[in-house]
Amino acid sequence: MNAQELWKRFQTSLCQVPALDVSLDVSRMAFDDDFVERMRPALDKAFAAMDALEKGAIANPDEDRMVGHYWLRAPELAPSAEITAEIKDTLAAIEAFAAKVHAGAIRPERKPKFTRVLSIGIGGSALGPEFLADALGDPTTDKLHAHFIDNTDPDGIARELERIGAALDETLVVVMSKSGGTPETRNGMLVVAEAFRAAGLDFAKHAAAVTGAGSKLDQTVTKEGWLARFPMWDWVGGRTSETSAVGLVPGLLQGLDMKAVLAGAAAMDEATRVHDAARNPAALLALTWYLATDGRGSKDMVVLPYKDRLLLFSRYLQQLVMESLGKRLDLDGNRVDQGISVYGNKGSTDQHAYVQQLRDGVNNFFATFIRVLEDGGAGGEVEPGVTPGDYLHGFLLGTREALFANDRKSATITVPRVDARIVGALIALFERTVGFYATLVGINAYHQPGVEAGKKAAASVLALQDQARAGLSATPQTADQIAAAVGAPESAETIYLVLEHLAANGRATMTRGSHPGLTTFQAV
């Protein structure tokens, strides 16, 4: 295809959202002229499924739940007056709480005002808030400086507490867990609470929660008298929770314009309800995913945002896309092993990392460029008539062209700037795209049986660890001997691994043999 043909294709295939000044260019996805028409029956089914979802259909039959993240930015669309009121009341309550914190009406135990907010969560309760904090935050104007604990790594927790340092007594902690029993979040909360106690502070006077009604965490909040508790609803999944209290509480406390985030998401929702792929960027994007991956995940998606503020967007999209689409079974119970792997960092950094392989190596991906028109920042010239932003934009267009010249497919999303409204729109765009694509390939985007399986497996390992510790004695024993003694001979490898970990942390004694089977363990 020559340059003139590409120019015509660009003009005819560009999908624009005038309300947001956002556009989607799929001209480099190499689909033939009647592809959209061939996919119309499948796409009509996807439109119908999405309409039913927004009206309150049970979209997650595993847990008999509706899926209502779209109502969070359009409460009037919720299927009941009760849900509409809950959404509106929750937003008002969070805004009031944040305002009181900023004014010092809600204050820490010893200091006149909170100056920092520490969010403790994992998965959807961390990736979205972290993305927005980095994309929209400004250390010179933020109302509270944002910190995050998003894992059960004791070294990581300690490092974040060290960053807070002496400001611990000015720190408001927000713990986010639907059940209150998520191990990573619970562990982070317990370690942080102990740090407050060690500093002579009452943790409850510095803590708020986002959790489900009646959860273990909710019970703790009530018992200890925390500052506030905001709801997590069953009908909002973690990976689509950024416009719920999960994102609103830390965002508003930081001082981000979360109402603009909601407005941007609502505007994109409106644009992506249109039953016409040519005018619906989420439908068009879902079709390009289907084309690029043969409808079975045969290629990865590389996300390349050319803006530092969007650095964490690919991490956010990894969960949204991979947890939603990575499914073994389809809706009929057939094994299909679906999914789209997502990775990425930012441009032009990636041009000095893996773009060499994208251009010349194995053709196992399609790229999603995010093009930001306004440079922002310091815009001085580095050459006559050329700014750093000109270079960045040139690198994007050049990489896009170089990939296409070697038969690498790409789509380009263009946004005017990175602000709260646009970030909300980007989140909504990909949420809807995931929903459409899932229907196209016949899977449930709204459950996560693999995640639950992983949690159960981890719990069984910890139970085995307790057995192995109980089986230790003053007499050196191999992993095979300990496994046999505790009645789990088939688990010798796991016992070896957990005891190796315990020994490295001074909780067992290990004498290495020439191979693992000859390594022995003793009680300390």
Side-chain angles (χ1 to χ4, degrees), residues 319-371:
Q319 184 192 18
L320 176 63
V321 175
M322 296 176 72
E323 195 168 277
S324 298
L325 303 182
K327 302 295 162 63
R328 173 178 292 186
L329 305 178
D330 66 13
L331 294 170
D332 296 321
N334 302 308
R335 182 162 181 172
V336 291
D337 297 323
Q338 276 287 355
I340 298 177
S341 296
V342 178
Y343 64 94
N345 183 25
K346 65 178 183 180
S348 63
T349 299
D350 288 341
Q351 293 180 218
H352 299 271
Y354 52 74
V355 166
Q356 167 62 34
Q357 176 170 313
L358 299 186
R359 171 61 171 75
D360 290 341
V362 58
N363 189 0
N364 64 345
F365 72 95
F366 65 100
T368 300
F369 291 100
I370 301 179
R371 174 174 170 248

Side-chain angles (χ1 to χ4, degrees), residues 377-388:
E381 293 184 354
V382 292
E383 295 173 11
V386 180
T387 69

Side-chain angles (χ1 to χ4, degrees), residues 168 189-203 224:
L168 189 68
M189 177 188 73
L190 294 175
V191 173
V192 170
E194 180 55 35
F196 273 85
R197 282 190 287 272
L201 297 164
D202 184 348
F203 179 66
E224 297 181 359

Side-chain angles (χ1 to χ4, degrees), residues 364-430:
N364 64 345
F365 72 95
F366 65 100
T368 300
F369 291 100
I370 301 179
R371 174 174 170 248
V372 182
L373 295 178
E374 294 180 13
D375 292 341
E381 293 184 354
V382 292
E383 295 173 11
V386 180
T387 69
D390 295 337
Y391 265 105
L392 187 65
H393 188 244
F395 286 138
L396 184 157
L397 295 183
T399 301
R400 170 176 171 266
E401 202 60 44
L403 293 181
F404 184 74
N406 207 27
D407 195 31
R408 269 61 171 163
K409 297 179 176 65
S410 70
T412 301
I413 299 166
T414 297
V415 300
R417 67 194 68 84
V418 177
D419 61 14
R421 183 173 168 84
I422 292 301
V423 167
L426 287 172
I427 288 172
L429 172 61
F430 280 90

Side-chain angles (χ1 to χ4, degrees), residues 53 55-60 64-68 71 79 83 234-236:
L53 180 102
K55 290 176 182 176
I58 298 299
N60 190 350
D64 193 30
R65 291 180 181 176
M66 300 180 293
V67 174
W71 312 329
I83 293 177
D234 284 346
W235 41 266
V236 179

Side-chain angles (χ1 to χ4, degrees), residues 36-325:
V36 174
E37 189 59 35
R38 292 200 310 273
M39 292 296 296
R40 187 178 298 281
L43 191 57
D44 286 343
K45 183 179 178 181
F47 286 139
M50 186 63 69
D51 290 347
L53 180 102
E54 289 201 301
K55 290 176 182 176
I58 298 299
N60 190 350
D62 292 6
E63 299 169 302
D64 193 30
R65 291 180 181 176
M66 300 180 293
V67 174
H69 48 276
Y70 299 108
W71 312 329
L72 297 169
R73 47 263 192 171
E76 68 280 1
L77 297 182
S80 73
E82 291 78 11
I83 293 177
T84 296
E86 278 189 291
I87 296 170
K88 292 180 177 180
D89 292 347
T90 296
L91 175 58
I94 298 170
E95 289 180 316
F97 177 71
K100 289 179 181 178
V101 168
H102 297 156
I106 295 176
R107 50 177 289 181
E109 190 175 1
R110 296 177 184 166
K111 293 294 182 70
K113 280 188 176 184
F114 286 107
T115 62
R116 296 169 188 257
V117 55
L118 169 61
S119 296
I120 302 176
I122 195 164
S125 295
L127 292 169
E130 288 176 7
F131 165 47
L132 260 68
D134 186 58
L136 303 177
D138 183 339
T140 65
T141 59
D142 286 348
K143 299 292 181 68
L144 301 182
H145 295 296
H147 297 265
F148 295 91
I149 289 175
D150 62 0
N151 205 351
T152 187
D153 178 5
D155 183 49
I157 297 171
R159 291 180 70 194
E160 201 58 44
L161 288 172
E162 287 167 6
R163 292 186 185 101
I164 294 172
L168 189 68
D169 60 359
E170 300 174 357
T171 299
L172 173 56
V173 181
V174 180
V175 183
M176 296 190 281
S177 172
K178 183 175 288 185
S179 68
T182 306
E184 297 93 336
T185 303
R186 180 204 61 201
N187 295 350
M189 177 188 73
L190 294 175
V191 173
V192 170
E194 180 55 35
F196 273 85
R197 282 190 287 272
L201 297 164
D202 184 348
F203 179 66
K205 293 179 179 177
H206 297 77
V210 181
T211 189
S215 71
K216 294 177 182 178
L217 179 56
D218 193 23
Q219 295 169 29
T220 299
V221 170
T222 301
K223 179 182 177 181
E224 297 181 359
W226 289 22
L227 295 174
R229 177 262 180 196
F230 302 101
M232 267 194 198
W233 296 298
D234 284 346
W235 41 266
V236 179
R239 56 191 175 277
T240 55
S241 63
E242 181 53 29
T243 53
S244 74
V246 166
L248 296 173
V249 172
L252 285 168
L253 286 169
Q254 185 179 346
L256 308 182
D257 188 353
M258 297 304 293
K259 276 203 163 179
V261 172
L262 292 171
M268 183 58 75
D269 287 341
E270 191 67 28
T272 54
R273 288 188 184 103
V274 177
H275 286 207
D276 178 1
R279 297 187 297 121
N280 184 328
L284 196 56
L285 202 54
L287 288 175
T288 63
W289 290 5
Y290 188 92
L291 177 68
T293 68
D294 301 317
R296 53 183 175 84
S298 61
K299 292 193 176 183
D300 304 336
M301 176 164 65
V302 183
V303 181
L304 294 171
Y306 276 68
K307 182 61 66 174
D308 285 6
R309 286 185 179 270
L310 297 178
L311 169 66
L312 298 182
F313 192 42
S314 59
R315 286 186 63 204
Y316 172 79
L317 289 179
Q318 276 182 336
Q319 184 192 18
L320 176 63
V321 175
M322 296 176 72
E323 195 168 277
S324 298
L325 303 182

